[in-house]
Amino acid sequence: MDAHRIHYRIGNGSGAANALDGLGELYRVHARYREAEKAFSDALGIHRHIGNDLGAGNALLGLANTYLAQSRTLEAEEAFGDALQIHYRIRNILGLANALDGLKRNAQSRDQDMKNACDEALPGKLHHTQNRYLETEEPASKALAIAGHNAHQQSQTAISQLFAELITLLVSKQSKGMETLFKEEAEYARTNNHAARAATWRKIGDIQAARSMYTEAKESYHFAQALYIQIDNFSGVATAQRELGILYIQQHRYEDAERCFTEAGETYAEYHDRNGEAKALDGLTFLHGLRSEISAAQDTCRKAREIYTSIGRPLSEICTYATGLLQVVDENLIR
């Protein structure tokens, strides 16, 4: 009896799915693609049924590679894309690398298929005239250029999507409700505690931003900045400016966000707040990644790592994840 059937009989869904994954790989290696496709599809169904995201992502990779081996590039692209989303969601760097590599290989395969088709269609062979060859060569070259552009676009889109979800690592999480914070702000105002008031207005702004109350959030951050200025706390001013940058990202106002992160970083540097400077660089790293500006993201991420290391602080969560993600992207980017 097959291993996956044994696992089914004893109620071991995970074991059955894993056995099917192994069977799928074996079939694929021996070019028995129909059987491989069925095995991976069955495994995917089981992994999804039992809530095993890692298994589902890996089964999708197996299925995508099976499609790719048959030059079924559209189906492969969809499966690699689905796998990429799952591995991103569960923060599995190895799975991300494999999915990005698959998308790259799939794009290259599609380009080669187009090149072969163009070569066969070119009438500029030995028995054709040179003029006729030149007439056909130009549109063929354009077609190949378009294919290369599409592959690059596909890669850029995947990178941007991966960074887009990192916003959750930038946005502050507030445990208190807005009503409680307003009451606290009123009490701090009564006692002239400007530092506590400013911090409270920033928290209120975070909640408003999370609720898409963008105008109100902007006002709250500006209130915080005004209070920080009164007590000459310019690192606080920079922190509120950095939070404004995050707000602008949520509104897709990327130029404004870049200006805020840059200004915040300059203020932190002027007042020797190295930790704040690194956090401003984290914001720029995220923004560059979101815009698929990989070289710029690598540069700001490297600078942030250097600062965290120099001051003896652990890397921030976003810096840690961006470092791994950028390494994967650099190794698998379709150029």
Side-chain angles (χ1 to χ4, degrees):
M1 182 177 289
D2 293 337
H4 66 279
R5 292 198 178 96
I6 294 173
H7 286 294
Y8 267 130
R9 288 189 61 181
I10 63 176
N12 183 2
S14 180
N18 291 336
L20 283 165
D21 282 328
L23 193 60
E25 287 293 342
L26 187 62
Y27 283 139
R28 185 171 63 83
V29 168
H30 290 280
R32 293 172 60 179
Y33 298 128
R34 182 177 298 177
E35 294 98 324
E37 187 175 337
K38 185 179 187 309
F40 285 127
S41 295
D42 289 346
L44 176 61
I46 296 171
H47 285 308
R48 283 175 168 166
H49 179 71
I50 63 177
N52 182 358
D53 286 342
L54 177 61
N58 288 335
L60 278 164
L61 288 174
L63 197 56
N65 281 312
T66 303
Y67 292 142
L68 181 55
Q70 302 170 81
S71 296
R72 293 161 61 182
T73 54
L74 289 177
E75 291 162 289
E77 179 180 337
E78 182 179 358
F80 279 128
D82 289 345
L84 183 145
Q85 294 299 325
I86 290 175
H87 286 300
Y88 175 79
R89 188 172 67 249
I90 63 176
R91 304 294 195 262
N92 179 19
I93 294 294
L94 179 60
L96 277 173
N98 288 333
L100 279 169
D101 177 68
L103 284 170
K104 179 175 69 174
R105 288 184 291 108
N106 189 65
Q108 290 169 341
S109 175
R110 188 173 61 241
D111 294 350
Q112 186 60 46
D113 288 344
M114 179 172 287
K115 183 179 184 301
N116 291 341
C118 288
D119 286 344
E120 291 175 6
L122 281 174
K125 306 286 184 176
L126 291 175
H127 59 283
H128 285 79
T129 66
Q130 181 67 17
N131 287 340
R132 183 66 174 164
Y133 175 82
L134 290 173
E135 287 172 4
T136 315
E137 183 181 30
E138 185 178 355
S141 298
K142 287 182 179 177
L144 286 173
I146 291 170
H149 175 73
N150 288 342
H152 181 73
Q153 287 279 74
Q154 179 188 40
S155 176
Q156 298 295 296
T157 300
I159 293 162
S160 180
Q161 288 175 344
L162 290 171
F163 270 92
E165 295 187 28
L166 286 181
I167 189 68
T168 58
L169 304 185
L170 278 176
V171 176
S172 300
K173 286 83 173 173
Q174 299 302 333
S175 58
K176 293 182 180 179
M178 196 134 61
E179 185 177 344
T180 300
L181 289 171
F182 276 125
K183 288 179 180 178
E184 290 181 356
E185 197 280 333
E187 178 61 23
Y188 294 138
R190 189 183 65 80
T191 58
N192 263 347
N193 188 341
H194 289 341
R197 285 186 71 196
T200 302
W201 275 114
R202 283 176 39 224
K203 292 175 184 177
I204 291 170
D206 291 340
I207 294 174
Q208 290 167 331
R211 296 179 182 177
S212 301
M213 299 166 62
Y214 299 131
T215 301
E216 294 87 345
K218 183 178 178 180
E219 290 177 354
S220 295
Y221 292 135
H222 282 158
F223 283 146
Q225 287 182 310
L227 289 163
Y228 281 129
I229 288 171
Q230 288 186 45
I231 58 175
D232 293 330
N233 182 349
F234 292 99
S235 283
V237 174
T239 297
Q241 186 77 348
R242 177 171 56 83
E243 289 167 339
L244 268 172
I246 298 169
L247 177 69
Y248 287 138
I249 285 177
Q250 292 172 283
Q251 297 175 270
H252 306 288
R253 295 170 57 181
Y254 298 143
E255 289 185 5
D256 289 330
E258 184 171 5
R259 174 181 54 79
C260 286
F261 290 134
T262 301
E263 290 176 354
E266 290 171 352
T267 303
Y268 284 131
E270 183 179 354
Y271 290 91
H272 309 292
D273 184 344
R274 298 285 281 163
N275 186 56
E277 196 176 347
K279 289 185 179 298
L281 286 166
D282 284 343
L284 285 171
T285 297
F286 170 79
L287 182 60
H288 291 314
L290 190 63
R291 297 192 293 198
S292 299
E293 299 166 352
I294 303 307
S295 295
Q298 290 171 329
D299 183 54
T300 51
C301 190
R302 174 185 55 77
K303 290 177 180 176
R305 287 199 307 273
E306 289 174 355
I307 292 175
Y308 284 126
T309 301
S310 70
I311 61 177
R313 293 258 185 133
L315 300 186
S316 66
E317 190 176 8
I318 190 167
C319 187
T320 300
Y321 190 67
T323 297
L325 183 55
L326 286 166
Q327 182 178 347
V328 168
V329 167
D330 187 57
E331 293 171 354
N332 296 280
L333 180 62
I334 303 167
R335 301 188 186 277

